[in-house]
Amino acid sequence: MSETAAKAPGSGLGAAVDPNRWKALAFIAIAQLMVVLDATIVNIALPSAQQDLGISDGNRQWVVTAYALAFGGLLLFGGRIADLWGRKRAFVVGLGGFAAASALGGAATNEAMMFGARALQGAFGALLAPAALSLLAVMFTDAKERAKAFGIYGAIAGGGGAVGLILGGFLTEYLDWRWTFFVNIPFAIVAAAGAWYVIREPEGGRNRSALDIPGVILSTLGLVSLVYGFTRAESEGWSDSMTIGMFVASGVLLLAFVLVESRVKAPLLPLRVVTERNRGGIYLSLGLAIIAMFGLFLFLTYYLQIVKGYSPVKTGFAFLPMIVGMITGSTQIGTRLMTRVAPRLLMGPGFLVAALGMLLLTQLEIGSSYAALLLPAMVLLGLGMGTAFMPAMSLATQGVKPQDAGVASAMVNTSQQVGGAIGTALLNTIAASATTSYIADHIGGASSKSQQQLVQLEGMVQGYTSAIWFAVGILVVAAGIALTLVNAGRPGGSTVASSEEGAQDEVAVPVVAH
């Protein structure tokens, strides 16, 4: 075992434990909440911002797309920068940049300024998110403490998006859409100031190798092409020539990236990080689960507001049971069982419980009762996802070299970001197709305007349920992958298995039970 490992704070090896690690977690959690909130809070404000800034219907998607492209495309680069600079510095710089970009977005006077601000938010988010997760990975190495820390982080990562719906609704309805941007500034200032004073990184955790410039260019262009391909498919269709071109370009660029990474001396993404069986299984199952969840958030938001007539604030509160379920699954079920059972025995059943909740939602109708159908479905979804996400995020960063913690963390975020883009495009396309087909088959029998409106609403709900059936299947596949590929033992039992390549070094972040 390396000297670095022996001195790692909280490693349970008799070394001095960092007394500030729990304070550090509080500030990391604030930053994570800010990033996750931003993903949904802006969606609520979009209609008001579009009207104020004169953004056309054709261009409004760029408020979301500019952020997604920068964030998804630069994540691996951001993770590598965190390994190079040190995670604390990357974390603080990321927070400062995110706050400045948020101020620019809140002060936007035209669409170009808004799109630029969103791209900047995405770029600094791509630096901030891997730094936050990798700080947890290197600061919490004792099995029981790590379970608690990742339980809190997992609850925020899972439930923060729904909190964004509530907060976005309040700010848009009672203040102004600009506050959905300005609200990030106090979050960032508190998190950055706190982190600067309390975070102490373990020694020897930096990767000072020369930056892999070809890898940076190929991965960024490949991921941007992939995310944009799915984003464009949602608006222009899968047969659009530009959509197909983006997918082809992405495939070529990412294949070239893998070839480059297998040959360069200091790769941007060491292939051992993703080819290790457990981490590969986690990245894949997490990405699939996010595909199912992202589509669901969108469908339920539309269902509650358009079909049921809920206000933005009421819609946000309607998601509260899911948040409570996620927090309970992550901090109570996941945290308590993580040191007692193998991760796959939390992830597999967790995804299946979420699939059961999703299965209930296939019964949605125009007149469905919130209390009888949506409430139990959301609780099951939250419990399942919270239970599965927490061990997944923890195991994805265990057993890696400290120097690789940033890129390993970036891969967690990348699988989520790409999964979100795929989920939104794929499930939206399925829903739209089913809606069109239903309306075409039933509109002929509707003679009055009210009957035609009813058919349109029924068609909308039919589209949602058709897409939700696919989401159920995707979650079952995610559970299958978790149960078969993830074979690590319980964290308290032994050091997590590492890849064959560099296996002697990868025990530098051990997990030891007291």
Side-chain angles (χ1 to χ4, degrees), residues 31 45 129 151 178 182 200 208 280 341 411 482 492 499:
R178 295 181 185 276
F182 292 145
R200 298 287 180 270
R208 300 184 185 276
V341 301
M411 275 303 299
S499 58

Side-chain angles (χ1 to χ4, degrees), residues 148-168:
K148 291 177 185 173
F150 274 88
I152 294 166
Y153 185 89
I156 291 170
V163 175
L165 295 172
I166 300 172
L167 187 58

Side-chain angles (χ1 to χ4, degrees), residues 163-294:
V163 175
L165 295 172
I166 300 172
L167 187 58
F170 265 110
L171 293 172
T172 304
E173 212 165 301
Y174 298 116
L175 288 173
D176 184 78
W177 65 265
R178 295 181 185 276
W179 281 98
T180 61
F181 287 90
F182 292 145
V183 74
N184 290 329
I185 298 170
F187 275 110
I189 290 171
V190 170
W196 188 257
Y197 288 108
V198 305
I199 288 179
R200 298 287 180 270
E201 280 189 75
E203 293 290 328
R206 290 196 193 179
N207 184 343
R208 300 184 185 276
S209 304
L211 193 60
D212 171 20
I213 299 298
V216 170
I217 294 169
L218 289 169
S219 69
T220 301
L221 291 178
L223 287 170
V224 164
S225 300
L226 184 63
V227 173
Y228 184 57
F230 281 110
T231 303
R232 189 173 175 88
E234 183 191 349
S235 58
E236 304 298 327
W238 296 90
S239 59
D240 174 69
S241 58
M242 177 68 85
T243 302
I244 295 168
M246 285 291 116
F247 287 137
V248 171
S250 171
V252 171
L253 288 163
L254 292 177
L255 180 60
F257 171 68
V258 171
L259 292 173
V260 167
E261 298 309 275
S262 66
R263 294 178 181 181
V264 296
K265 186 178 178 182
L268 173 70
L269 175 64
L271 295 183
R272 61 179 175 268
V273 171
V274 290
T275 54
E276 197 276 311
R277 177 173 176 162
N278 290 287
R279 281 191 290 275
I282 282 167
Y283 297 145
L284 189 55
S285 61
L286 265 185
L288 286 169
I290 292 292
I291 288 174
M293 285 299 289
F294 257 66

